[in-house]
Amino acid sequence: MDRSEAGPANAGAATRPQSNEPFADDARADGFVRAAVVVALVLGLLRFVRLGTWSLWIDESLTWADIFHGIEGGEISNPLGYRLIAATVQVFGGTPTEWSLRFLPAVAGWLCIPVTFGAFRGLFGARRAALASVLVAVSSWHLYWSQSARFYTFAQLTLLVGAWILCSALARARSGGGGLLWLRAVVGLVVAGAAALFHPSAVLLVPALCLGPFALRLVGRPLGESLVARRVTNILAIVSLIGALLAAGWAWRTWSNYAYQKGGDFSLSAVLSSAAHLVKTTGFFVTPLLGTAVLCGTWFALRSRRGADAFAVVVVGTTLVFALTASALAKVSAQYVFVALPWIALVAVLPVGGTRPGPLGRRGELAWMLLLALPALATCGLYMTTRMGERPPYREAYQFAANVREPDEQIFGTAACIGEFYLAPENTDLRQPTALSWIDWFHARDPLQWARRGRGGIYVVNPEEFAGLEPDDAADLQRFLREECRLIACWPLYVESRDLSVWVYRRD
């Protein structure tokens, strides 16, 4: 090991593998780092490509509805993101479009790329930080949520800003830096906690930022040996416990509201099904290749015995464990661990060195990065083309249904709130449509009752939505569409194991 890898306290023992310092590097003198950051920023502009092309999906349409019919009713505990999106729509003319609803989340998603570099550079090294930012830029998962009128990129960006402040304090404290580093660390912690104002999923990651440094010191992997480092970790632990007590009421109300909306079934089969759903949906984006790289990075962190490397692993592991625990109580999907994506990317590149090569050597590091980045970039290309933004093409289907509808025909549809957005733009209460009728758990038999009266109907369905109905209702509705209706249009879209197609049937 080069002497530059050893901490100040170990300057005379350069061969010890227990150094807590990252691979030494200097971004100003490293052309590779500068090039990687530029590439990441340029690729990140994909977030603005075809931003208004894809149809809205259910939660995006409900973002617009809840701005008017959720915040004032008290159902929304994180209104800040809604208000920002509403303000953006007003800036762009006041009429909601796919582009105006998604613009601010796309800006936040792009900003996550340079902030990832800034957050990780001081504690983990500039090369690792730059390569982590590249992986974030080429992640189709990140691209998807950057192009969604939801609040996950807001929460991730706020967490990264908080981590930047916190990690810079930890990096300076590690070498015994002076000043009020404990105050800087606490400010970073507060900023990170504020991410929950955009989306409650942020609380899955914040505890690791709070208590991770203290826990690592207890197990002999401290982020620094200096008195300043110990003081910072102690104060962080104390402040985090106080913060947890102060936020307990808000957290309980938010969780109770979420669990009520998702329903609660605590049977063993339901718990296992919910946990499997989280694992499966996360696996769409933390691909086998990226997951294998994370395991390799974890193994490297265990071998290197650097406190900073272990800290990155702790953040990812703790977030996943908390998400799995939450999935035992209510349905939790992959987007709730989206806040950990930059940290997942960081763990994947832990084997990369600094100014001096890491254990892979320079050629190995380049091959490692290309192996991770190129398939991800190809997936982004598929997302932009054949996968059609990975959203059911409801807009085209509902507009087609409205164009062919006869005066005495009623339109029924899954995700009727989306149809209402396109067919009755003056109505902001999209949960109570006026231009069509729902096909959902509560209204699964309405199309059958309508048909018994001898009335014509047009039925817009996404096959996956049948899984959300009672089995008998789903079977009867599918039989009705198959035997008593005729297919008049279809927009096929199959993405891996998902069927995002939209079918339009008519009963004369």
Side-chain angles (χ1 to χ4, degrees):
M1 178 180 293
D2 185 83
R3 184 175 295 272
S4 63
E5 294 181 38
N10 300 322
T15 59
R16 290 177 59 186
Q18 290 84 9
S19 169
N20 286 313
E21 294 297 322
F23 288 112
D25 54 9
D26 184 351
R28 293 170 298 179
D30 194 335
F32 176 84
V33 170
R34 295 195 300 272
V37 172
V38 170
V39 167
L41 292 175
V42 171
L43 292 175
L45 294 175
L46 283 171
R47 281 135 188 83
F48 302 98
V49 176
R50 312 192 75 180
L51 187 60
T53 300
W54 327 119
S55 169
L56 296 183
W57 61 288
I58 293 177
D59 283 2
E60 288 185 292
S61 66
L62 295 181
T63 293
W64 182 246
D66 286 337
I67 289 171
F68 302 94
H69 304 280
I71 296 177
E72 293 182 359
E75 296 89 352
I76 304 299
S77 59
N78 53 314
L80 184 56
Y82 292 89
R83 298 192 188 281
L84 289 173
I85 288 179
T88 304
V89 171
Q90 290 301 315
V91 167
F92 290 111
T95 301
T97 64
E98 296 90 348
W99 193 91
S100 63
L101 288 170
R102 294 168 176 162
F103 177 73
L104 202 57
V107 171
W110 184 83
L111 288 175
C112 285
I113 296 169
V115 177
T116 293
F117 173 72
F120 296 155
R121 173 185 171 182
L123 195 58
F124 304 99
R127 282 205 164 213
R128 291 167 166 180
L131 295 180
S133 69
V134 171
L135 291 185
V136 170
V138 299
S139 167
S140 64
W141 192 18
H142 203 274
L143 178 58
Y144 178 90
W145 288 114
S146 296
Q147 292 196 332
S148 289
R150 298 299 285 171
F151 320 108
Y152 300 102
T153 55
F154 296 162
Q156 187 183 97
L157 178 61
T158 307
L159 272 169
L160 284 170
V161 172
W164 191 345
I165 301 170
L166 173 62
C167 289
S168 67
L170 293 173
R172 289 194 61 190
R174 180 177 54 194
S175 58
L180 296 177
L181 293 180
W182 67 267
L183 181 59
R184 181 189 297 185
V186 170
V187 169
L189 186 58
V190 171
V191 173
L197 298 176
F198 291 110
H199 198 274
S201 60
V203 302
L204 298 176
L205 189 145
V206 170
L209 295 180
C210 300
L211 300 174
F214 183 79
L216 287 170
R217 200 182 83 196
L218 293 180
V219 298
R221 291 286 190 91
L223 294 180
E225 301 286 358
S226 70
L227 179 62
V228 175
R230 290 196 294 272
R231 182 184 301 123
V232 169
T233 56
N234 288 341
I235 293 176
L236 275 178
I238 294 171
V239 170
S240 64
L241 293 176
I242 295 173
L245 292 174
L246 294 176
W250 173 87
W252 176 253
R253 290 191 300 272
T254 301
W255 172 255
S256 299
N257 183 49
Y258 175 80
Y260 173 77
Q261 293 174 352
K262 297 298 182 180
D265 183 350
F266 302 110
S267 65
L268 179 60
S269 61
V271 169
L272 293 177
S273 176
S274 179
H277 177 75
L278 172 63
V279 173
K280 182 181 75 172
T281 54
T282 303
F284 288 144
F285 307 106
V286 182
T287 61
L289 182 60
L290 180 58
T292 300
V294 169
L295 292 177
C296 292
T298 301
W299 176 83
F300 175 82
L302 296 175
R303 288 289 304 271
S304 74
R305 297 194 59 81
R306 293 182 178 86
D309 296 351
F311 182 47
V313 173
V314 165
V315 170
V316 172
T318 302
T319 303
L320 295 177
V321 168
F322 283 172
L324 277 172
T325 302
S327 72
L329 305 175
K331 189 175 182 180
V332 175
S333 298
Q335 59 262 42
Y336 294 90
V337 296
F338 174 75
V339 291
L341 176 60
W343 295 86
I344 292 172
L346 174 64
V347 174
V349 299
L350 284 182
V352 172
T355 301
R356 295 182 180 276
L360 299 177
R362 280 291 181 249
R363 292 183 179 179
E365 290 174 0
L366 179 60
W368 183 263
M369 193 59 207
L370 292 176
L371 180 64
L372 295 177
L374 292 181
L377 185 59
T379 302
C380 288
L382 293 174
Y383 169 94
M384 285 291 178
T385 54
T386 58
R387 294 187 176 186
M388 298 170 58
E390 299 182 7
R391 292 166 175 83
Y394 274 119
R395 177 184 58 201
E396 294 80 359
Y398 277 118
Q399 289 175 345
F400 171 83
N403 289 334
V404 302
R405 174 181 176 269
E406 298 294 341
D408 61 340
E409 286 183 317
Q410 176 69 6
I411 299 175
F412 294 84
T414 55
C417 53
I418 301 175
E420 186 72 2
F421 179 88
Y422 291 114
L423 304 186
E426 71 283 352
N427 181 19
T428 57
D429 192 0
L430 302 180
R431 289 184 174 86
Q432 305 296 328
T434 60
L436 70 159
S437 298
W438 277 98
I439 298 177
D440 62 2
W441 192 87
F442 298 101
H443 306 92
R445 293 194 172 271
D446 288 3
L448 307 179
Q449 296 171 359
W450 180 266
R452 291 193 190 102
R453 299 171 186 168
R455 299 176 179 179
I458 297 178
Y459 309 94
V460 180
V461 298
N462 165 234
E464 279 198 350
E465 295 296 330
F466 291 126
L469 309 180
E470 290 287 349
D472 290 343
D473 292 342
D476 288 344
L477 183 57
Q478 289 171 309
R479 180 203 57 76
F480 166 74
L481 295 174
R482 183 175 60 252
E483 298 179 2
E484 300 186 35
C485 304
R486 57 188 176 91
L487 181 67
I488 59 174
C490 176
W491 284 263
L493 180 58
Y494 304 98
V495 178
E496 293 171 340
S497 64
R498 300 195 62 193
D499 184 356
L500 304 180
S501 305
V502 181
W503 303 65
V504 181
Y505 293 85
R506 172 178 249 154
R507 184 183 187 278
D508 299 312

